[in-house]
Amino acid sequence: MGVEVTGPTNERFDEILTPEALQFVGTLQREFGERRLELLAKRAERQKAIDGGGTLDFLPETAGVRADDTWRVAEPAPGLVDRRVEITGPTDRKMTINALNSGAKVWLADLEDANTPLWNNMIEGQLSLRDALDRTIDFTDPKSGKTYALKPDEELATIVVRPRGWHMEEKHVTVDGKVMSGSLFDFGMYMFHSARRQLAKGKGPYFYLPKMESHLEARLWNDAFNFAQDALEIPRGTIRATVLIETIPAAFEMEEILYELRDHSAGLNAGRWDYLFSVIKKFRSRGEKFVLPERNAITMTAPFMRAYTELLVRTCHKRGAHAIGGMAAFIPSRKDEDVNRIAFEKVRADKTREAGDGFDGSWVAHPDLVPVCREIFDGVLGDKPNQRDRLREEVEVSAADLLSVDKTPGEITEAGLRNNIDVALRYLAAWLNGSGAVAIHNLMEDAATAEISRSQVWQWIYNGVKLPDGTLITRELVGALLDEELAKIQDELGDAYNSERYNQAVALFKEVTLADEYSEFLTTPAYVRFP
């Protein structure tokens, strides 16, 4: 068939890597692989233009799509009408059970940023999803002996799978000698094994689509959806996809993205942490005007972030689509009630703002936050499943509003620089050890956190940023602080400190932070380090 698998074969992997499934994903790769590469090349062209002094704006060539008030996306599919609380997390067996049982309306089953693309993780994730649909999944914690099992089907969250972004590859599979797209592999395997299982449950194959930068990338997904549905003899329009608006180029093409996916669209999500990463990345070399304050100082009330979320709600409801809010990453502490009190106040304020702005639901990272989010959205929605009828016609957002980065209050301190180094090191060490969702300082962090942290440090060095006392941020300063923060982590962890993993994390951090050339995604060089 021209499809070669070089990854190891573990227990039950043959249930996923069947000849028929491999033939199916191989056909997807042959059909769409070259277009994917062409669109990635267009990303590089756009970046070169921005580096040269260009900017972003609403596209003149698609003005007709934006001006046409007659089109709408498809009506919500079964299981996606009420989305007031969504929980996110990777697809290991324990998380699969806990997320489905959490009381959330939707589970974002993450094969992307809350996951690491170890071969075992990718295949075991597909097994977890299929077993959950077959109700054959269970888990016993080897340390505590606690057992986990699914509640009745009617109490479970709707599964929405997030495949890897267009930039990622699945290096363990080649098709006709070419490396397989990670996106098409994840999508294809889930469609092949679980689409009909979902239909038998009265729902369907639903997806969250990450990291897109243009409506042409959405068109590629839509064509892949139609091709897969035809090949599997499933009616077109069965698939539904929610697009994460988590890159600043995509913020200028929200209506066009909905239009391209309109028969398969389930709305848009404000992927705010990756959005921050994208803002830094796209304008990294453009000087002081695009230098943000330290990460923890940036809130959703910053003018450029406010413009982005307001436009997202307005765009979605204008077209009959759901608008889903951002992540509450707090992890409740079992030991410190003061930490919990302050954090819950912040979560409540965040979700209250989103519900008041017209979002139809929002994300949480921990089951303990599900009741908090649900209570707030219940207070706004009442008996209604969503507020898509709230059109927000008063909202007007310009290109200048979306690009008003320099209006963000806050500063860049040594503590903020140290925090970026500390969090990036901790996350990278865990990522290289196979964990993509990592508890750091009472927050559930995923790859976006490390991306923001390392990108800010690179940008501060490149643009000659100074700390409040006049100290210039240089490679030498960052190197010295890196050694100090690593020593603190070692002292804190004691016998649990894994010197091999942290040495790898330090090397990777230096590669993506201190190099002259900026690396588009840290997960790309990190993936090379995986077997």
Side-chain angles (χ1 to χ4, degrees), residues 307 310-311 314 391-397:
E310 290 278 84
L311 182 60
R314 167 62 181 142
L391 299 181
R392 297 299 314 276
E393 292 176 324
E394 76 282 6
V395 170
E396 293 185 9
V397 173

Side-chain angles (χ1 to χ4, degrees), residues 118-283:
L118 282 169
W119 177 245
N120 284 3
N121 286 356
M122 305 316 299
I123 306 305
E124 288 171 2
Q126 297 283 349
L127 282 167
S128 292
L129 293 166
R130 197 186 69 170
D131 289 351
L133 292 168
D134 289 345
R135 297 193 61 85
T136 58
I137 193 170
D138 55 29
F139 178 77
T140 301
D141 190 304
K143 293 182 179 179
S144 67
K146 182 179 179 181
T147 59
Y148 298 79
L150 292 177
K151 294 178 179 178
D153 274 359
E154 60 271 17
E155 298 180 35
L156 302 182
T158 297
I159 296 172
V160 180
V161 174
R162 177 160 67 172
R164 283 169 282 186
W166 282 130
H167 64 287
M168 291 292 287
E169 295 180 336
E170 178 44 73
K171 67 181 180 182
H172 300 96
V173 180
T174 59
V175 179
D176 304 330
K178 297 179 180 179
V179 180
M180 173 97 206
S181 157
S183 310
L184 294 174
F185 180 82
D186 299 343
F187 162 70
M189 282 296 177
Y190 183 71
M191 280 297 296
F192 187 86
H193 291 291
S194 296
R196 292 198 177 280
R197 286 177 163 86
Q198 282 282 32
L199 290 169
K201 298 279 188 181
K203 296 180 179 177
Y206 305 146
F207 298 91
Y208 255 111
L209 304 180
K211 305 289 190 292
M212 278 199 281
E213 296 195 11
S214 80
H215 69 286
L216 297 179
E217 295 178 18
R219 183 180 297 171
L220 178 57
W221 270 120
N222 197 70
D223 290 347
F225 291 168
N226 282 330
F227 184 91
Q229 288 167 135
D230 292 348
L232 296 173
E233 298 182 344
I234 293 171
R236 289 191 176 194
T238 300
I239 292 173
R240 293 302 166 86
T242 306
V243 174
L244 290 123
I245 301 299
E246 55 185 355
T247 70
I248 190 164
F252 288 89
E253 301 183 36
M254 286 194 261
E255 287 199 73
E256 293 90 331
I257 287 169
L258 287 177
Y259 181 79
E260 294 294 343
L261 286 160
R262 59 195 180 279
D263 293 336
H264 297 109
S265 180
L268 304 176
N269 169 278
R272 55 202 191 188
W273 306 126
D274 269 299
Y275 189 79
L276 275 177
F277 161 49
S278 175
V279 170
I280 299 164
K281 175 169 70 171
K282 288 299 175 188
F283 293 96

Side-chain angles (χ1 to χ4, degrees), residues 214-523:
S214 80
H215 69 286
L216 297 179
E217 295 178 18
R219 183 180 297 171
L220 178 57
W221 270 120
N222 197 70
D223 290 347
F225 291 168
N226 282 330
F227 184 91
Q229 288 167 135
D230 292 348
L232 296 173
E233 298 182 344
I234 293 171
R236 289 191 176 194
T238 300
I239 292 173
R240 293 302 166 86
T242 306
V243 174
L244 290 123
I245 301 299
E246 55 185 355
T247 70
I248 190 164
F252 288 89
E253 301 183 36
M254 286 194 261
E255 287 199 73
E256 293 90 331
I257 287 169
L258 287 177
Y259 181 79
E260 294 294 343
L261 286 160
R262 59 195 180 279
D263 293 336
H264 297 109
S265 180
L268 304 176
N269 169 278
R272 55 202 191 188
W273 306 126
D274 269 299
Y275 189 79
L276 275 177
F277 161 49
S278 175
V279 170
I280 299 164
K281 175 169 70 171
K282 288 299 175 188
F283 293 96
R284 59 186 180 262
S285 61
R286 292 290 297 278
E288 184 178 355
K289 180 177 172 61
F290 289 99
V291 173
L292 284 162
E294 59 196 48
R295 183 170 60 97
N296 290 337
I298 307 167
T299 70
M300 293 306 297
T301 59
F304 80 103
M305 294 297 282
R306 189 81 182 132
Y308 147 67
T309 56
E310 290 278 84
L311 182 60
L312 189 147
V313 173
R314 167 62 181 142
T315 300
C316 286
H317 290 181
K318 176 182 177 183
R319 303 302 182 179
H322 279 76
I324 306 300
M327 171 68 78
F330 173 63
I331 305 170
S333 171
R334 305 301 181 198
K335 302 176 181 178
D336 194 331
E337 281 306 314
D338 286 338
V339 168
N340 287 348
R341 177 180 52 78
I342 294 168
F344 273 112
E345 286 175 2
K346 290 181 179 179
V347 171
R348 284 184 176 279
D350 182 52
K351 301 309 173 191
T352 299
R353 177 188 49 76
E354 288 183 325
D357 285 347
F359 280 98
D360 300 292
S362 192
W363 279 9
V364 299
H366 193 280
D368 286 357
L369 295 181
V370 169
V372 178
C373 185
R374 184 174 57 229
E375 176 192 333
I376 289 164
F377 275 88
D378 284 352
V380 172
L381 297 178
D383 294 333
K384 295 195 306 180
N386 54 65
Q387 51 184 335
R388 291 182 301 138
D389 58 348
R390 191 174 168 205
L391 299 181
R392 297 299 314 276
E393 292 176 324
E394 76 282 6
V395 170
E396 293 185 9
V397 173
S398 67
D401 294 331
L402 291 172
L403 295 171
S404 60
V405 175
D406 57 341
K407 295 180 180 179
T408 308
E411 57 183 356
I412 298 166
T413 65
E414 182 180 317
L417 176 57
R418 286 181 179 275
N419 182 258
N420 276 351
I421 295 169
D422 169 76
V423 170
L425 284 179
R426 291 174 189 268
Y427 184 81
L428 290 173
W431 199 92
L432 292 165
N433 202 42
S435 298
V438 185
I440 303 174
H441 307 318
N442 289 109
L443 295 174
M444 185 63 75
E445 308 286 19
D446 69 8
T449 301
E451 292 284 26
I452 295 170
S453 298
R454 64 95 183 184
S455 296
Q456 281 201 316
V457 176
W458 189 97
Q459 186 188 35
W460 295 343
I461 293 171
Y462 182 91
N463 290 283
V465 170
K466 293 181 179 180
L467 298 175
D469 65 0
T471 301
L472 184 67
I473 300 178
T474 63
R475 289 181 177 84
E476 292 73 25
L477 175 63
V478 171
L481 296 182
L482 176 62
D483 291 339
E484 292 177 16
E485 292 306 310
L486 185 66
K488 291 178 186 176
I489 293 171
Q490 187 171 2
D491 288 345
E492 177 191 321
L493 296 181
D495 292 341
Y497 181 80
N498 185 325
S499 59
E500 180 183 0
R501 282 286 173 261
Y502 271 95
N503 287 340
Q504 290 175 328
V506 167
L508 180 55
F509 180 83
K510 288 180 176 179
E511 180 180 340
V512 298
T513 305
L514 303 183
D516 290 337
E517 293 296 320
Y518 179 86
S519 180
E520 287 289 308
F521 292 96
L522 68 79
T523 47

